[in-house]
């Protein structure tokens, strides 16, 4: 098996601190390095559409919610685990770009819904296709079976950190 930079780090710790079990660094170091690669690649794709990652997330969340592609601001920020202030800023930027609009909530006279505009719908359709293609490219080093195994392990780890 080939060696990577994390292997070198672990070997150095074994030499310097043989009493220390640094095995967690195998996962933490690799996932941190992979996350940087992912962030860079995702950012490049989103920027082609004039978006940041958070804005893509808002549009994608609205799109996958199904017709009529609208959610309350609370539902949006809960789906994305961000603060209401962060969500308000994202919605403001997307509204300024005419990608979403605020509409009255027919079920709550005091409430507002955030809805994709036609322009926003068209943009997220293109952006999500590019995002999926980019994801496939990023994972091309793994077979389908390896992707499934990795996904299963990551789900298990995520559930241990974020219990339902």
């Amino acid at each position: 098996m080939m060696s990577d930079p994390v292997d070198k780090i672990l070997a150095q710790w074994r030499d310097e601190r043989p009493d220390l079990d640094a095995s967690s660094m195998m996962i933490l170091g690799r996932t941190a390095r992979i996350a940087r690669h992912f962030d860079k690649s995702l950012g490049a794709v989103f920027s082609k559409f004039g978006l940041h990652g958070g804005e893509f997330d808002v549009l994608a969340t609205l799109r996958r919610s199904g017709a009529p592609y609208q959610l309350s601001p609370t539902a949006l920020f809960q789906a994305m685990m961000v603060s209401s202030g962060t969500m308000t800023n994202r919605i403001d930027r997307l509204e300024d770009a005419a990608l979403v609009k605020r509409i009255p909530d027919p079920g709550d006279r005091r409430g507002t819904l955030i809805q994709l505009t036609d322009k926003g719908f068209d943009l997220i359709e293109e952006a999500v296709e590019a995002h999926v293609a980019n994801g496939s490219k990023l994972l091309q080093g793994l077979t389908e079976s390896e992707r499934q195994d990795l996904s299963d392990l990551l789900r298990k780890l995520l559930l241990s950190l974020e219990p339902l």
Side-chain angles (χ1 to χ4, degrees), residues 45-65:
V45 168
F46 299 151
S47 71
K48 290 178 185 176
F49 298 93
L51 299 171
H52 297 288
E55 295 161 342
F56 173 88
D57 287 345
V58 171
L59 296 176
T61 300
L62 289 168
R63 173 61 182 92
R64 71 176 183 260
S65 73

Side-chain angles (χ1 to χ4, degrees), residues 49-156:
F49 298 93
L51 299 171
H52 297 288
E55 295 161 342
F56 173 88
D57 287 345
V58 171
L59 296 176
T61 300
L62 289 168
R63 173 61 182 92
R64 71 176 183 260
S65 73
Y69 313 111
Q70 62 190 27
L71 293 169
S72 71
T74 301
L76 276 171
F77 87 78
Q78 287 174 343
M80 288 180 265
M81 296 179 13
V82 297
S83 71
S84 60
T86 297
M87 184 54 59
T88 298
N89 289 335
R90 288 179 184 175
I91 292 167
D92 288 346
R93 286 192 306 269
L94 292 167
E95 188 174 40
D96 290 345
L99 299 173
V100 301
K101 62 184 175 183
R102 287 175 168 93
I103 61 170
D105 184 344
D108 178 359
R109 290 187 327 177
R110 295 171 294 151
T112 301
L113 296 173
I114 309 305
Q115 183 177 49
L116 275 178
T117 62
D118 290 343
K119 180 180 175 183
F121 182 89
D122 292 344
L123 181 72
I124 194 59
E125 286 290 286
E126 280 187 72
V128 78
E129 288 177 15
H131 175 58
V132 168
N134 184 50
S136 291
K137 182 180 172 188
L138 286 168
L139 299 175
Q140 67 187 355
L142 301 175
T143 66
E144 276 302 314
S145 176
E146 289 168 333
R147 288 181 191 194
Q148 188 61 57
D149 290 345
L150 179 58
S151 178
D152 292 344
L153 290 170
L154 291 172
R155 179 185 305 105
K156 182 177 181 178

